[in-house]
């Protein structure tokens, strides 16, 4: 694991910086948006911007953002980018929105979102697994990272409770995004969920040798929007053959499950999670 050693004042400054600054029609990423796979943007920042864009294309509060698929076909450089959205279907019970991020005129990431109209809930019960999440920590600064306040269980990285350590078992995390995505705009619940869902690949694909698969895309599904700043995730499945992996995780908030994440990934080494050392040691 590599560390970025910052003095306390630098840590406070980094925690306050947004991922993007708006420059007329362009979005300019800060260095804080860099991911763990090299000199490119973190997938959760890219997914957050795509989610932010599709949400702005829907002005009906009764339309529930039910699905967001994020395609990551190429590294997104730490350079200005433009966002284009298109509404493909606008019907009484659904709206389908596409968004494209471009750099130097070429697409570098795409998103597709489906919004469904809320209505009466059918009676009866349908089986679903009930994830048992570790308790949400209440203290601040337990494991500061450049991206978000992250609490993790099940790996040697960011593990908080020896009872939950099992490198070959399921992985769990509680996430609290501590910075804004664009300028000083507050994060919407949907954008917060879109950013968290990128972690599906890390949870589902983390094994005894760490993270050996890089995200090619991910899909977020939501039955409702999250409440509160914390989103929990529990890995559900991992299947991989010949260097191709699929994985899934359940997303929860303080009240229970809200949806799921699915990731498709390809074998790749070189993941270097970046961590702030606030004591500069």
């Amino acid at each position: 694991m590599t560390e970025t050693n910052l003095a306390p004042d630098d840590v406070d400054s980094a925690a306050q910086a947004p991922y993007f600054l708006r420059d007329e029609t362009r979005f300019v990423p800060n260095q804080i948006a860099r991911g763990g796979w090299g000199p490119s943007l973190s997938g959760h920042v890219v997914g957050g911007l795509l989610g932010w864009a599709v949400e702005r294309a829907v002005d009906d509060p009764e339309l529930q953002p039910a699905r967001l698929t994020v395609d990551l076909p190429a590294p997104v450089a730490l350079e200005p980018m433009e966002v284009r959205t298109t509404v493909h279907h606008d019907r009484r019970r659904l709206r389908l929105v596409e968004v494209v991020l471009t750099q130097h005129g070429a697409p570098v990431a795409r998103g597709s979102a489906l919004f469904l109209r809320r209505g009466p809930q059918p009676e009866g019960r349908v089986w679903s697994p009930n994830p048992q999440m570790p308790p949400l920590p209440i203290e601040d600064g337990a494991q500061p990272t450049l991206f978000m306040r992250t609490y993790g269980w099940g790996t040697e990285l960011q593990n908080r409770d020896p009872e939950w350590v099992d490198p070959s078992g399921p992985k769990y995390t509680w996430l609290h995004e501590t910075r804004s995505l664009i300028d000083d705009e507050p994060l919407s619940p949907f954008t917060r969920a879109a950013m968290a869902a990128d972690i599906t690949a890390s949870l589902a694909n983390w094994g005894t040798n760490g993270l050996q698969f890089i995200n090619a895309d991910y899909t977020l599904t939501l039955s409702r929007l999250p409440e509160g700043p914390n989103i929990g995730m529990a890995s559900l499945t991992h299947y991989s053959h010949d260097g191709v992996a699929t994985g899934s995780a359940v997303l929860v908030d303080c009240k229970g499950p809200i949806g799921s994440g699915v990731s498709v990934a390809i074998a790749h080494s070189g993941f270097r999670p970046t961590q702030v050392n606030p004591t500069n040691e």
Side-chain angles (χ1 to χ4, degrees):
M1 178 173 63
T2 60
E3 291 190 349
T4 299
N5 295 323
L6 300 177
D9 289 346
D10 295 330
V11 174
D12 292 340
S13 176
Q16 296 170 3
Y19 289 112
F20 294 99
L21 296 173
R22 202 187 321 240
D23 178 19
E24 296 182 351
T25 62
R26 304 188 308 167
F27 298 85
V28 183
N30 279 315
Q31 285 292 323
I32 202 76
R34 175 174 172 169
W37 293 101
S40 58
L41 264 66
S42 168
H44 90 288
V45 176
V46 176
L49 186 57
L50 293 169
W52 172 89
V54 297
E55 189 174 28
R56 288 173 66 88
V58 177
D59 54 3
D60 187 339
E62 290 306 311
L63 286 174
Q64 156 75 31
R67 191 265 301 160
L68 171 69
T69 296
V70 173
D71 290 314
L72 304 167
V76 182
L78 283 157
E79 298 177 3
M81 65 193 70
E82 294 186 340
V83 180
R84 299 197 307 266
T85 58
T86 305
V87 177
H88 287 292
H89 296 281
D90 188 359
R91 300 176 181 171
R92 186 178 68 84
R93 300 189 66 187
L94 66 83
R95 189 172 301 181
L96 182 63
V97 184
E98 182 184 38
V99 57
V100 180
L101 301 186
T102 61
Q103 291 181 321
H104 305 290
V108 292
R110 298 178 184 271
S112 172
L114 179 66
F115 292 74
L116 299 178
R117 185 166 301 281
R118 298 179 179 93
Q121 174 70 8
E123 295 183 0
R125 291 181 296 176
V126 180
W127 178 88
S128 181
N130 184 24
Q132 299 299 312
M133 290 291 297
L136 175 63
I138 59 174
E139 72 272 20
D140 290 336
Q143 193 75 30
T145 65
L146 282 176
F147 294 139
M148 59 184 74
R149 186 174 296 128
T150 306
Y151 309 94
W153 292 262
T155 75
E156 71 283 359
L157 178 66
Q158 296 179 335
N159 185 72
R160 295 187 45 78
D161 188 343
E163 251 179 61
W164 294 78
V165 175
D166 182 359
S168 61
K171 310 299 184 294
Y172 307 88
T173 189
W174 281 102
L175 307 170
H176 179 186
E177 183 57 69
T178 57
R179 71 184 71 251
S180 60
L181 181 70
I182 301 168
D183 296 332
D184 58 354
E185 292 183 17
L187 287 177
S188 73
F190 179 59
T191 300
R192 190 179 293 278
M195 298 176 78
D198 174 67
I199 309 300
T200 300
S202 299
L203 284 184
N205 298 322
W206 196 289
T208 54
N209 289 330
L211 186 57
Q212 299 290 316
F213 295 90
I214 188 172
N215 224 357
D217 75 12
Y218 69 88
T219 294
L220 164 70
T221 65
L222 289 173
S223 61
R224 64 175 175 87
L225 292 172
E227 297 184 23
N230 299 292
I231 293 181
M233 298 183 67
S235 61
L236 291 177
T237 62
H238 166 90
Y239 307 110
S240 58
H241 301 276
D242 298 330
V244 175
T246 67
S248 63
V250 61
L251 277 72
V252 306
D253 64 4
C254 58
K255 294 185 176 180
I258 60 173
S260 60
V262 177
S263 167
V264 175
I266 190 168
H268 191 71
S269 60
F271 179 71
R272 298 290 182 269
T274 307
Q275 186 175 20
V276 175
N277 181 357
T279 60
N280 201 29
E281 295 178 347

